[in-house]
Amino acid sequence: MDEFELIDSIFARLTTPGSPSLGLTDDAAILTPPAGQDLVFTKDMMVAGRHFFATDPADVIASRLLRVNLSDLAAMGAYPLGYLLAIAYPGELDETFTRKFVEGLARDQKAFNVALYGGDTISGADRLTLSVTAIGSVPHGSALRRNGARAGDAIYVSGTIGDSALGLLCLKDELGWDDHLVARYYTPEPRLNLGMSIQGIATAAIDVSDGLVGDLGHICRQSGVGADVEINQVPLSPEVQSYVDINGRLLENALTGGDDYELLFTVSPEFEAILQEKAKQTGVPVTKIGVIRTGSGVQLSDRDGKLHDWGYGGYRHP
């Protein structure tokens, strides 16, 4: 198939009638912003061999690509609207890969109520390269930012931390196989409902993509504050805890490894009770792991008061 045949026979199924995509029949999409809303844009790229295994199933790659972008919208408290997609194929356009890839996108479009607005495909790249630009909306002036944390704020995180980092170690044969951890790596859960529910409650927010410690460091730098975290309060799944019980050094991997896509945010003490009610309503547990202080940097301590210097961890592009 050539590019236009791919669009007509495969990608068109990802559009919806009357959407900004115009059925993928024009040069661009037309989006009318919802009244009283700000538009929120985010973009992520994934390259075979660096962000995913070249042998990963196409539908799994698609799901992860879309979900990590939706997680960025969640971190801003935004409601997801749609997305743009770009694919650079190694060699010729790959119909078999594309059909399976679109299956994964179609499943998650239904799950998260989004649709394809448009995009582009090319062939002849050095290796498979994928990119999504996700678009969301948020009531005017209410987007969550990284720069609002203040001394005395409590630090919260959703879900559990470290599943994805240890799942990646499983995939690399550096740990025994665990279905839960591998699934958490491949199919992160963007916390969209939680993100929208903490508008006006959270003073700063970010999604945990570069690791809990590293992403908290981003909040601290943007807000001009420091943070104290008690590592024993960080919520771990039973699967991660079992590995940490065997090898305590894996706790550092869990807290610095990244790719959890949970929400990490700060809340003034006066709103903590309201936060717990919001978390209950969305069905997403949240856990207090520390407090914002004056100064700078992220300080980690255990229940005995021992300090741990693990750096920021996470992946940084060269």
Side-chain angles (χ1 to χ4, degrees), residues 26 34 40 50 97 111 177 188 217 263 299:
D26 282 271
V40 180
R50 175 169 292 188
F97 172 89
W177 188 267
L263 292 189
Q299 183 169 275

Side-chain angles (χ1 to χ4, degrees), residues 176-190:
W177 188 267
D178 187 283
D179 288 338
H180 170 80
L181 299 181
V182 171
R184 284 276 284 162
Y185 172 79
Y186 276 133
T187 53
E189 188 68 28

